[in-house]
Amino acid sequence: MTRWLGDHHEIRWYPGEALGRRRRVMVCSSSREIAISSEGQPIFLAEDDPKLQSAPQILVGTLFDVTYYAARVAVETEGFEFAPLRPVLINLASEAFIPVNAGMQLIDFLEEHQFCGRCGAEMVQSTSDRGRVCPSCALASYPRVSPCVIVLITRGDELLLARSPRFIDGMYSTLAGFVEAGESAEHACHREIREEVGVEIDRIQFQGSQSWPFKHSLMLGYRAEWKSGDIKVDGIEIIDAQWFNIEHLPKLPPQASISRGMIEAYLAERRG
Ligand SMILES: [Zn+2]
């Protein structure tokens, strides 16, 4: 059962490996948009499609029998329709999420690691792995992955859900925050929840993870039980947080998100 995009336990995905018999290229623009079909789905072109012109094709990985590459073309290139990545991804209900998500993160990485962060020399592609290497001082950089905890807090038939000012009207979600350097994911759960809504939690259980390209995040999903404290929000990162009974929930995040997946899994358990 797929609970959220990218949570395909049965799917074999080989990052950075070219094992497929076919080759397909996802296309994004210089402004981080993705090329879509008239149905709003990401398009995958043959490697020799003339529309790709001479754009470099970056190896992304193999899913089933197809090796995926990513190419970036100028936004004004003829023959493409581009759309912002987030709404396209969130409405993707197929395993195409995996190469599109990975491809966008690789394109970002290449763009952001053209020069060495230590000595400023131009970096080159490593011949042995996915890294970029500095020919002058040998510093190696790899596609960044930033762990982020996302926590569903429960209290029997109630869920603690919160609103960020960025959310669409009326939507409430689980709480999330980046793991700080030197911190465990579990410490980050306690700290984030304390900072954002002022409550203490207990019995933290890992639920699963989701890679997410805004930007290079790895969402680590946890469920936790409320332990003590009343909700107190900071009014900046979180503008409102409430306990919601599972029979009277507000507008929730899209089906594709790990947040929604964890909420649905809890509802299914409570309702038996
Ligand atoms: Zn260097």
Side-chain angles (χ1 to χ4, degrees):
M1 181 181 72
T2 299
R3 295 175 300 167
W4 49 76
L5 281 180
D7 174 44
H8 296 273
H9 291 294
E10 76 283 10
I11 283 180
R12 291 191 183 167
W13 165 244
Y14 300 96
E17 298 211 47
L19 308 171
R21 269 184 300 175
R22 287 188 301 144
R23 173 174 173 155
R24 285 291 175 268
V25 186
M26 64 163 271
V27 184
C28 65
S29 77
S30 36
S31 54
R32 213 169 182 262
E33 295 192 314
I34 181 138
I36 55 165
S37 65
S38 51
E39 290 84 42
Q41 299 293 306
I43 55 166
F44 298 100
L45 301 179
E47 67 209 84
D48 53 0
D49 192 298
K51 289 207 292 282
L52 290 169
Q53 298 169 4
S54 57
Q57 298 179 13
I58 300 150
L59 173 61
V60 180
T62 303
L63 181 66
F64 296 124
D65 211 12
V66 182
T67 299
Y68 288 91
Y69 290 77
R72 206 178 64 133
V73 302
V75 73
E76 59 276 7
T77 308
E78 291 277 320
F80 288 115
E81 184 187 346
F82 290 103
L85 183 62
R86 192 184 289 265
V88 171
L89 267 191
I90 212 82
N91 290 311
L92 242 179
S94 72
E95 68 263 12
F97 171 79
I98 297 173
V100 169
N101 169 34
M104 188 56 89
Q105 295 197 40
L106 285 177
I107 294 268
D108 286 342
F109 168 67
L110 290 184
E111 197 174 282
E112 293 164 5
H113 291 79
Q114 297 179 58
F115 299 95
C116 175
R118 185 157 58 197
C119 77
E122 200 163 335
M123 297 195 89
V124 296
Q125 188 59 43
S126 162
T127 50
S128 57
D129 57 31
R130 307 233 278 177
R132 307 268 298 162
V133 206
C134 174
S136 168
C137 77
L139 180 72
S141 296
Y142 293 88
R144 245 187 305 172
V145 178
S146 301
C148 182
V149 293
I150 180 157
V151 189
L152 172 64
I153 307 170
T154 69
R155 189 169 69 182
D157 275 348
E158 292 178 307
L159 307 179
L160 199 168
L161 301 173
R163 260 188 74 67
S164 141
R166 294 175 288 112
F167 287 1
I168 56 167
D169 272 359
M171 190 183 94
Y172 282 74
S173 184
T174 51
L175 291 151
F178 285 104
V179 179
E180 297 285 340
E183 187 178 50
S184 71
E186 291 78 9
H187 282 149
C189 290
H190 287 286
R191 177 184 54 74
E192 277 292 335
I193 300 307
R194 198 177 291 133
E195 284 174 5
E196 293 194 343
V197 288
V199 308
E200 296 294 327
I201 53 173
D202 203 4
R203 301 168 72 93
I204 298 175
Q205 286 180 316
F206 183 62
Q207 302 286 290
S209 63
Q210 183 178 45
S211 171
W212 195 236
F214 306 101
K215 280 183 91 173
H216 46 74
S217 298
L218 178 63
M219 311 299 293
L220 305 170
Y222 290 88
R223 184 190 289 178
E225 290 178 13
W226 172 84
K227 186 179 168 197
S228 64
D230 295 324
I231 295 173
K232 202 187 302 166
V233 300
D234 64 8
I236 302 161
E237 275 193 63
I238 298 296
I239 49 174
D240 188 34
Q242 298 178 32
W243 288 106
F244 291 96
N245 186 279
I246 59 170
E247 302 304 335
H248 299 98
L249 291 172
K251 190 184 287 183
L252 297 173
Q255 292 287 352
S257 65
I258 188 170
S259 173
R260 180 64 174 270
M262 292 197 299
I263 293 170
E264 296 288 349
Y266 189 71
L267 298 183
E269 270 179 44
R270 293 301 289 187
R271 290 165 178 168

